[in-house]
Amino acid sequence: MDSDPSTRAPGAASLADRAARLRRGRATARREVRAAIVSVAGLLGAPVSNQAGQRVGRVVDLVARLHTGERYPPITGVLVRVGLRVSYLGASSIASIRHRRLTLRTAQLDLRDFERRPGEVVLARDVLDHQLIDVDGRQVLRAADLYCAPIGPDIRLVGVDVSLGTLLRRLGPRGLRGRPTPDRVIDWDAVTPFGDDVTGAPASVRLRNSDRDLRRMRPADLADLLEDLDRVERQSLLDRLDPETAADALEEMEPDELEALLREADPERAATLIASMEPDEAVDALRDLQGVERDELLARIPEPARTNLTNLLSYPERQAGGFMTTVLAAATLSDTIGDVRARLEGFGDNRADIDAVMVLDDDGSLVADLTLWELLTHAPDETLAALLADEQHQLEPVTVEATATVDEVAAQLIRTRRPSVLVVDGDDRPLGRILADDVVDALLPERGRFRFPRLLQ
Amino acid sequence: MTTEPTAVQDDRPGRSGRVRQRIAASARRIPWLRTGLIYAGSLGPGLIAANAGNDAAGIATYASAGSEFVFRTLFFMLLVTVALVTVQTMAVRLGAFTGKGIGALIREQFSLRLTAVALLCLLTANTGLVVAEFAGIGAAFELIGINRLWVIPPAALAIWAMVLFGSYRYAERVFLLLSLGFFAYPIAAILAKPDWGEVARNLVVPNFSTSSAFLLLGVALIGTTVSPYMQFYAAAGVVDRGAGPSGYRAARFDAVTGAIFACAISICIIIATGAAIGGKGPLQSASDAAKALVPVAGDGAQVLFAVGLLGASALAGAVVPLSSSYAIGEAVGVERSVSRRFREAPLFLGLFTVQIAVGATIAMTPVNLIGLLIGTQVLQGIITPIVLTYILVLANRKDLLGAAANGPVFKVFATILVVGISAMSLLLLGNTVLGFFGISL
């Protein structure tokens, strides 16, 4: 949503801040680590000397193994230019890494060609200057510098520098370029990098803390992250989310952004995501895609969702049928309150779309619309027939035709002061439901984000 | 979604915009309809590209070419068209296959220092263009007798405020409409009854001169036609639409038709001006340039020219500084914060404001406006090969584009092109430097 903590929901803010405070107490903040921090950007091109102090080459890049499940990924090796050749040296031959200086343990060099093992990334090439997610700040950033430090026997990646000043530092004279300036450093634990899957290695994703935090994020925040990432990174983020979480986030995205995301995603995945979305949101998304693209996606969506979506698509967007949800909870007159409550448990995935339960008679025509209030305040063993006998007039279903306009739906809501209305066909059979928030969405002018390329379209 | 509605620029089309989108959608499927629509001036990236090339500085440069060399620059313009098509194709391909803007690609693929060089070049070229746009606004008003000192400061403030407070997209439609006045040029070119044999001969027969005047104008023609910001814009457009590798062919078609269309208009400007005032030496004033429209508008030529110039300048006056701010934001990694809170993104806002301020200030200095306009295009022409080199290197990279990287033939062709353009710029620079010491070639 918003990275400014003052405008966040209070609960989310305090939780995130607590997490951030905890993290601040970790590696980069510990004095001994701080003193030993080495800038990766500064190491590039730095001299490599052997045990005897003779210069043997220059640092080209560092290799780290991400996604090991460890908090701070270990540096597994270094790429060194010796003469004209770039070779790989394992971490075991590194004696120390200091500011702009790398010393080897041995005088002898065992030079090999670099072969990437699963989970390994080449830091300067794939992570530095690339996008990553700051999980605490819930934002997408570009790494201005990476910091590593000796922790125990290993050298590990501990943080990411994201400040503008660091960029300027790196433009400056050589001596200054590698001096760590850890003023805006994000602990590596709070970062979701993309390095290894971006470069096409087998995804050996093991759950990190930051990934777990990602999944716990609110859909709106995830939607922002998805919008902010470039294409490959965006698809990679989708990889790390289960379809349900991803679909929830997709529902919160700007229509234009969602359209672009679905267009660039693999059609199989796009279809899975759409099938997991609420029907009304899924229809909105499909509507924005054009003929062939839409058909291609629809063909991959499993039944019965496909027929449902096709039906919904047949209504014009601005009519009730076009923005209703088809998730409906139904009950019959012979059900007890307890039965209905039990049935509602099955709607967990669609809870945002359920705010009432419609009551049908034996012919399947609509007799009443029960709000959640009735379900809470009446005894579990009371039958709906008995309940309706008492309060029939209050539970009269409020309906609109599928061809009603947004304004008509709004008028109906205002008149009856209900949180939702049912959409019915000509024979009074229920087709779907429109909640007040759907009407708000439809009435508010759509507000996109500032997009420079679209300025002239 | 966002909690700060006031700070968000509304760039979603309204209800009528939806209809427009539908038309655009059906046009996308039927090529002839789409081409027809572009010509009708209603929508399409082709029109945008055409307008981008035919801003104030473009008009001045093409008109000056017609005035000074009559039709002799036509063959050169054909070469420039080929260059534009080639470059735009590469830009669109980078966007489609990587899903990233060129600013982001440069940051990820080159060292930070090289990134800084590229962006500094873009910023300089674009600031030059902003100068030209405000000079264009000034020139438009001077045509109807209003001193530019009265006009440029409020115009700068208005454009700045409109972009900041989100009302620009309404104004932009007006500007776009105004700039359509320049679509009178193709008609003017025909009505002026030029010697078509001469035109055809100059289009086919290479005609180069090594005179410094020709060299200067040649570099300006390259600069104004192959403006660096257009490549950034083309790639960003493709990325924004989510057009992936499968959408590349369509995107390329867009880019190529747009480029050819833009250059066709430019050639018409040269022909119309060449026929009207050709051979009278370098263009002196906007009022001379307006004479080319007399066959269409008669006595109204000055007004038609002024209106077109105002629209085109005001349009580019916002797009160009935004383009450099966006590219730099993208490279730094803050472009997305911009998309949510334009007014609160300090880097973006600062760059945008500085460009507008510098542009307006320089445009108010008491120099010949036409000279200033062409000067900014020479600057662009000198910077263009630098930016093109980056794009060429990116498009050559197999580890970036895979099979979509430049093939051997394309690579050789594009390299020759960039080297050719660089050679012209270097020649001009050398010529100018030698000129300082009183040596002329």
Side-chain angles (χ1 to χ4, degrees):
Chain A
M1 195 93 176
D2 206 312
S3 51
D4 176 7
S6 61
T7 57
R8 278 188 213 141
S14 57
L15 267 181
D17 290 347
R18 200 178 318 145
R21 261 200 307 280
L22 278 174
R23 280 183 175 123
R24 233 171 276 140
R26 291 182 198 161
T28 39
R30 291 211 305 266
R31 185 175 298 150
E32 65 273 24
V33 175
R34 226 179 147 98
I37 273 179
V38 176
S39 147
V40 170
L43 268 180
L44 304 180
V48 176
S49 25
N50 62 16
Q51 202 185 20
Q54 296 155 313
R55 183 182 292 190
V56 290
R58 288 191 174 278
V59 177
V60 173
D61 216 326
L62 291 180
V63 182
R65 194 168 62 242
L66 305 185
H67 302 305
T68 50
E70 289 167 281
R71 181 162 288 166
Y72 302 113
I75 302 288
T76 52
V78 56
L79 295 175
V80 181
R81 182 183 298 279
V82 180
L84 289 172
R85 188 161 161 241
V86 175
S87 313
Y88 173 78
L89 288 172
S92 56
S93 40
I94 301 174
S96 73
I97 287 184
R98 298 243 176 72
H99 171 57
R100 286 202 63 74
R101 177 193 208 100
L102 192 145
T103 315
L104 299 176
R105 204 175 285 282
T106 52
Q108 221 168 2
L109 281 184
D110 171 26
L111 297 176
R112 285 177 292 152
D113 283 335
F114 174 55
E115 269 173 53
R116 224 152 64 95
R117 287 167 293 186
E120 278 187 343
V121 294
V122 185
L123 289 182
R125 198 189 65 193
D126 299 332
V127 180
L128 186 64
D129 294 322
H130 285 62
Q131 288 190 317
L132 38 82
I133 295 177
D134 161 17
V135 181
D136 285 341
R138 284 171 276 166
Q139 54 188 333
V140 175
L141 298 162
R142 249 175 223 288
D145 201 352
L146 303 172
Y147 293 139
C148 48
I151 295 184
D154 302 318
I155 298 159
R156 288 173 186 269
L157 203 52
V158 292
V160 183
D161 191 328
V162 294
S163 70
L164 198 57
T166 303
L167 284 184
L168 295 178
R169 180 197 88 204
R170 280 174 62 197
L171 289 175
R174 199 166 266 261
L176 250 167
R177 228 182 290 168
R179 192 169 300 279
T181 43
D183 51 341
R184 255 192 88 199
V185 178
I186 300 173
D187 191 284
W188 188 263
D189 196 30
V191 159
T192 301
F194 291 101
D196 66 341
D197 28 4
V198 168
T199 45
S204 59
V205 182
R206 225 178 290 160
L207 206 58
R208 303 185 56 215
N209 281 341
S210 62
D211 285 340
R212 224 168 285 136
D213 289 348
L214 271 179
R215 279 169 219 190
R216 281 197 211 124
M217 241 182 238
R218 282 187 298 165
D221 289 333
L222 271 179
D224 275 357
L225 293 180
L226 283 170
E227 288 174 4
D228 290 357
L229 288 167
D230 287 337
R231 183 194 299 158
V232 184
E233 288 82 0
R234 166 151 56 183
Q235 298 299 334
S236 150
L237 174 55
L238 286 178
D239 277 338
R240 299 176 195 200
L241 303 173
D242 56 276
E244 286 304 324
T245 316
D248 286 346
L250 258 48
E251 288 167 14
E252 302 293 326
M253 285 177 74
E254 296 287 339
D256 291 330
E257 299 278 352
L258 178 56
E259 183 187 336
L261 181 146
L262 291 174
R263 188 171 290 149
E264 67 197 20
D266 165 56
E268 284 299 336
R269 157 178 287 164
T272 316
L273 289 172
I274 290 203
S276 314
M277 287 168 73
E278 302 290 340
D280 53 337
E281 303 280 354
V283 166
D284 265 354
L286 283 171
R287 230 184 265 282
D288 286 332
L289 293 171
Q290 263 90 49
V292 188
E293 288 167 325
R294 183 200 292 176
D295 297 342
E296 208 175 301
L297 281 189
L298 269 176
R300 288 179 161 87
I301 293 174
E303 290 291 1
R306 190 197 315 164
T307 317
N308 184 17
L309 289 175
T310 316
N311 286 342
L312 284 175
L313 275 170
S314 65
Y315 296 104
E317 188 182 6
R318 307 286 304 167
Q319 288 186 1
F323 59 99
M324 68 185 185
T325 171
T326 50
V327 177
L328 289 172
T332 60
L333 288 170
S334 52
D335 284 331
T336 63
I337 294 282
D339 295 338
V340 181
R341 284 190 198 165
R343 197 166 308 146
L344 279 182
E345 279 169 23
F347 282 92
D349 289 344
N350 303 94
R351 72 183 85 175
D353 274 358
I354 305 280
D355 76 332
V357 178
M358 57 181 188
V359 184
L360 306 174
D361 64 13
D362 299 338
D363 308 333
S365 45
L366 197 57
V367 266
D369 202 19
L370 280 188
T371 65
L372 300 182
W373 171 262
E374 274 81 35
L375 293 179
L376 274 176
T377 51
H378 286 266
D381 52 355
E382 191 175 347
T383 65
L384 297 189
L387 192 158
L388 285 176
D390 292 342
E391 302 188 42
Q392 176 80 52
H393 61 284
Q394 297 218 349
L395 301 172
E396 221 26 58
V398 179
T399 61
V400 292
E401 298 257 315
T403 51
T405 63
V406 182
D407 291 341
E408 285 163 4
V409 177
Q412 188 76 315
L413 282 172
I414 291 168
R415 199 170 56 75
T416 57
R417 293 288 154 193
R418 290 284 186 93
S420 68
V421 296
L422 283 164
V423 182
V424 292
D425 64 8
D427 301 326
D428 244 15
R429 284 178 197 283
L431 297 170
R433 185 185 288 281
I434 295 175
L435 283 86
D437 62 334
D438 295 328
V439 179
V440 173
D441 278 349
L443 284 178
L444 272 186
E446 285 172 280
R447 292 192 165 277
R449 313 160 123 211
F450 182 83
R451 273 280 175 269
F452 163 69
R454 249 181 258 149
L455 198 68
L456 282 182
Q457 283 173 16
Chain B
M1 223 160 89
T2 167
T3 50
E4 287 176 297
T6 47
V8 180
Q9 183 153 356
D10 180 5
D11 69 357
R12 288 284 299 168
R15 313 273 174 265
S16 62
R18 277 271 159 193
V19 179
R20 241 168 44 113
Q21 280 189 347
R22 295 281 169 268
I23 300 175
S26 45
R28 229 169 279 160
R29 284 191 296 269
I30 315 169
W32 60 263
L33 176 60
R34 136 177 217 90
T35 321
L37 282 171
I38 293 172
Y39 279 74
S42 53
L43 34 80
L47 180 77
I48 295 160
N51 268 290
N54 297 328
D55 57 357
I59 304 283
T61 311
Y62 301 130
S64 194
S67 163
E68 194 172 359
F69 298 100
V70 200
F71 306 136
R72 288 206 301 277
T73 50
L74 287 183
F75 180 78
F76 185 70
M77 270 310 289
L78 282 191
L79 293 186
V80 175
T81 309
V82 174
L84 182 62
V85 167
T86 313
V87 172
Q88 293 294 89
T89 313
M90 284 195 283
V92 167
R93 182 145 36 97
L94 285 170
F97 283 87
T98 64
K100 294 173 201 274
I102 293 183
L105 279 178
I106 290 181
R107 166 91 188 263
E108 291 182 5
Q109 294 287 321
F110 293 96
S111 74
L112 197 65
R113 294 191 154 198
L114 284 174
T115 306
V117 170
L119 294 173
L120 202 65
C121 283
L122 181 75
L123 186 63
T124 314
N126 281 7
T127 309
L129 254 183
V130 178
V131 172
E133 306 313 339
F134 284 110
I137 292 176
F141 279 94
E142 294 204 330
L143 271 179
I144 51 171
I146 301 172
N147 191 307
R148 61 178 135 142
L149 293 182
W150 293 107
V151 179
I152 294 178
L157 199 65
I159 289 180
W160 183 81
M162 278 192 288
V163 169
L164 237 64
F165 298 106
S167 50
Y168 181 75
R169 42 186 324 100
Y170 304 105
E172 138 211 315
R173 312 251 156 91
V174 180
F175 296 148
L176 199 64
L177 264 174
L178 293 184
S179 70
L180 293 184
F182 284 145
F183 283 79
Y185 268 113
I187 308 168
I190 296 167
L191 291 182
K193 302 204 174 63
D195 180 348
W196 288 109
E198 190 71 2
V199 170
R201 200 177 60 77
N202 276 294
L203 269 174
V204 185
V205 181
N207 190 347
F208 294 112
S209 134
T210 49
S211 77
S212 52
F214 190 92
L215 203 58
L216 189 80
L217 200 72
V219 171
L221 283 175
I222 293 174
T224 199
T225 316
V226 197
S227 305
Y229 90 91
M230 285 171 67
Q231 287 91 62
F232 284 77
Y233 189 92
V238 173
V239 174
D240 191 56
R241 257 180 292 151
S246 60
Y248 168 58
R249 289 180 70 91
R252 187 181 57 184
F253 178 79
D254 264 355
V256 172
T257 47
I260 292 176
F261 182 68
C263 289
I265 295 270
S266 314
I267 287 174
C268 287
I269 298 176
I270 297 180
I271 295 175
T273 320
I277 56 167
K280 293 195 184 139
L283 188 68
Q284 290 302 326
S285 67
S287 128
D288 283 347
K291 285 183 187 144
L293 290 176
V294 169
V296 180
D299 292 343
Q302 301 275 344
V303 175
L304 179 63
F305 187 81
V307 163
L309 196 58
L310 176 65
S313 305
L315 196 61
V319 175
V320 169
L322 277 175
S323 141
S324 25
S325 310
Y326 191 83
I328 292 173
E330 191 176 59
V332 172
V334 298
E335 80 277 17
R336 314 300 176 149
S337 65
V338 163
S339 64
R340 262 166 271 177
R341 295 179 301 277
F342 183 88
R343 265 183 283 163
E344 290 150 43
L347 177 79
F348 202 85
L349 186 59
L351 281 171
F352 181 71
T353 309
V354 165
Q355 287 177 85
I356 297 262
V358 169
T361 310
I362 297 181
M364 286 195 293
T365 52
V367 291
N368 179 295
L369 280 178
I370 299 293
L372 184 62
L373 282 171
I374 295 176
T376 59
Q377 298 317 293
V378 174
L379 175 70
Q380 289 242 83
I382 291 169
I383 290 173
T384 298
I386 304 174
V387 176
L388 290 192
T389 308
Y390 281 87
I391 293 178
L392 180 64
V393 172
L394 285 175
N396 281 346
R397 286 204 171 157
K398 281 221 157 49
D399 56 349
L400 179 66
L401 288 177
N406 288 341
V409 179
F410 195 103
K411 199 187 275 183
V412 169
F413 180 74
T415 309
I416 291 175
L417 207 111
V418 174
V419 169
I421 294 177
S422 315
M424 275 198 70
S425 303
L426 286 176
L427 260 176
L428 178 68
L429 274 180
N431 228 348
T432 316
V433 172
L434 287 178
F436 291 149
F437 301 103
I439 308 162
S440 70
L441 295 177

